[in-house]
Amino acid sequence: MADDLNPQSITELAQALVRCPSRAGIDGYGPVLAVLEDWLAARSLPHRRLHDEAGAAVALLVEIAGGRPGPWWTLDACVDTAPFGDESMWSFPPASGDIVDGWLLGRGAADSKLAASMFCHIAADLAPRADSLHGGLAVLLDVDEHTGRFGGARAYLADPYAARPAGVLIGYPGMNEVVVGGRGLWRATITVRAPSGHSGSSRAVTGAISRAAHLVRLLEDSELPTPQGDFPLPPKLTVTAFHGGEGFSVTPDRVDLNVDIRTTPDFTAEDAEALAQQAIAALTQETSAPTEVTPVASWPSFRLTEDDQPAAALLNAAAESGLTVSPKTAGPSNIGNMLAAVGIPATAGFGVPYENLHAPDERAHLAELPTVYAVYRRAALALLTPEAQAASPEPS
């Protein structure tokens, strides 16, 4: 168990990962997966790549099978990242990986290469005692998360050789809360049509842009319900894109709107679509030109109670490590929503403090790393050794 609570080893692997750019849709993922594979192979940890339907590698899966019957639990972290953006806005190289004043610098330091390193170390720590564990521990290292496809998680759940997890702990950063829920979403592209015409015509023409702008107002004026029950956040509607027209002399016959509606247990995807259709119905009273709705994505909201696993194990482990944390329901959706859609409970955030997530000068604070590691290790042992209270050494 040499890697148990070894901040230097965890940090060194995280540095190597940050120094290997893995921007979603930009960089190839082979190099960053190779960094992980070399580390895992050196410690004889069983691992394999997962592939999507097109044969592309989308994740690395580590599996530690216990010697006793029981459910499997999964630690999940992404190792693809957001893009760098305007590199001139960074005060250090985006793929730095350096440590300055106790901060790990670079894209992915916070989201979520440090967590990936930490979870690999937990697997290495627990592997020698696998015979005493119930069920098993999987570590999923996803390289198709920031695309929004969650391809690694999808490939994991579709893999006929992988045990279906009873729950997942996702290593997003932030130390003050354990994220136990999130709003869902309904996303669609709405196509607004109208007869085209010359912008200089003496005949009055109501083009698609005017109609689409009216629809935006109808959507944004729609009444959304207030929070009900234990779910703390209301639904939210946002028009996120408006595309149509070209040049100056023609009024366009088509405009496409992207509509993002965040949903709750009391305002579901079906309610969101009905709201959009109601606004469209008010618009189409003015013309016979068709308006089309093309659904893009739909995930349910989710929320675990403090007694639901794996939230209970993580919250208890934090308390036993001397931390005061609270359960949080997040406004943005996350991979926990996708898991909720297939009946798998998940936590979606607890980790080290961070700054500038997805922005220039992303960095993660390392002083709290031993404590965060101890919390996840304690939680994993509590889930994998249900016959006894998990014992975890305190960080030194």
Side-chain angles (χ1 to χ4, degrees):
M1 299 188 187
D3 287 318
D4 179 25
L5 296 176
N6 187 339
Q8 182 176 350
S9 178
I10 298 171
T11 301
E12 287 174 352
L13 177 57
Q15 287 180 284
L17 294 172
V18 171
R19 289 168 176 161
C20 189
S22 52
R23 294 164 291 177
I26 298 174
D27 300 307
Y29 302 130
V32 75
L33 290 176
V35 170
L36 291 163
E37 288 168 328
D38 288 347
W39 192 92
L40 295 165
R43 289 152 181 81
S44 301
L45 293 173
H47 60 278
R48 56 194 173 92
R49 292 191 182 190
L50 301 179
H51 300 83
D52 63 15
E53 294 179 352
V58 289
L60 195 64
L61 181 64
V62 184
E63 295 168 301
I64 307 298
R68 303 180 183 183
W72 278 69
W73 303 90
T74 300
L75 301 174
D76 174 30
C78 60
V79 289
D80 66 337
T81 73
F84 295 157
D86 183 354
E87 295 187 40
S88 69
M89 300 299 292
W90 290 70
S91 64
F92 49 80
S96 167
D98 291 344
I99 298 171
V100 177
D101 297 331
W103 293 88
L104 173 63
L105 308 182
R107 178 63 83 228
D111 184 13
S112 296
K113 291 181 175 181
L114 188 60
S117 176
M118 183 172 59
F119 290 166
C120 286
H121 281 75
I122 290 176
D125 173 21
L126 298 187
R129 61 186 300 174
D131 286 347
S132 68
L133 303 180
H134 292 254
L137 177 71
V139 175
L140 179 67
L141 304 165
D142 195 335
V143 290
D144 194 29
E145 194 264 11
H146 281 84
T147 62
R149 292 189 294 261
F150 298 156
R154 295 182 188 278
Y156 173 41
L157 297 179
D159 190 301
Y161 303 104
R164 185 180 178 87
V168 177
L169 298 94
I170 304 167
Y172 295 133
M175 199 167 180
N176 295 326
E177 296 129 344
V178 171
V179 175
V180 298
R183 285 189 293 203
L185 60 79
W186 179 82
R187 289 175 175 165
T189 297
I190 301 178
T191 301
V192 179
R193 301 182 186 277
S196 64
H198 197 294
S199 60
S201 173
S202 59
R203 179 175 59 88
V205 177
T206 302
I209 286 179
S210 296
R211 296 193 68 235
H214 187 192
L215 179 58
V216 171
R217 290 192 295 272
L218 290 169
L219 288 167
E220 292 182 342
D221 290 342
S222 299
E223 185 175 352
L224 295 170
T226 57
Q228 301 291 324
D230 295 331
F231 200 86
L233 299 175
K236 182 181 181 182
L237 182 151
T238 309
V239 178
T240 59
F242 190 111
H243 301 290
E246 184 176 0
F248 294 91
S249 63
V250 177
T251 57
D253 58 6
R254 171 176 177 158
V255 170
D256 294 313
L257 306 177
N258 286 356
V259 180
D260 178 287
I261 302 179
R262 300 298 166 133
T263 61
T264 68
D266 295 308
F267 187 82
T268 65
E270 290 76 15
D271 297 318
E273 184 169 7
L275 181 147
Q277 292 289 359
Q278 184 177 3
I280 290 168
L283 180 73
T284 54
Q285 290 176 0
E286 305 168 3
T287 178
S288 60
T291 299
E292 302 166 4
V293 177
T294 304
V296 173
S298 177
W299 297 333
S301 59
F302 77 102
R303 187 171 190 271
L304 307 183
T305 72
E306 296 181 40
D307 296 325
D308 292 330
Q309 295 291 17
L314 194 55
L315 287 165
N316 290 340
E320 290 166 2
S321 296
L323 301 178
T324 301
V325 299
S326 56
K328 176 185 177 180
T329 300
S333 302
N334 54 63
I335 199 169
N337 297 86
M338 190 273 286
L339 294 167
V342 294
I344 297 175
T347 61
F350 174 76
V352 299
Y354 66 94
E355 290 183 353
N356 305 320
L357 194 77
H358 291 195
D361 287 356
E362 179 178 341
R363 60 184 189 167
H365 202 242
L366 296 174
E368 297 81 2
L369 176 60
T371 300
V372 172
Y373 180 91
V375 168
Y376 272 108
R377 180 182 182 276
R378 189 188 294 268
L381 280 171
L383 294 166
L384 294 165
T385 55
E387 76 283 355
Q389 176 70 30
S392 176
E394 296 300 322
S396 58

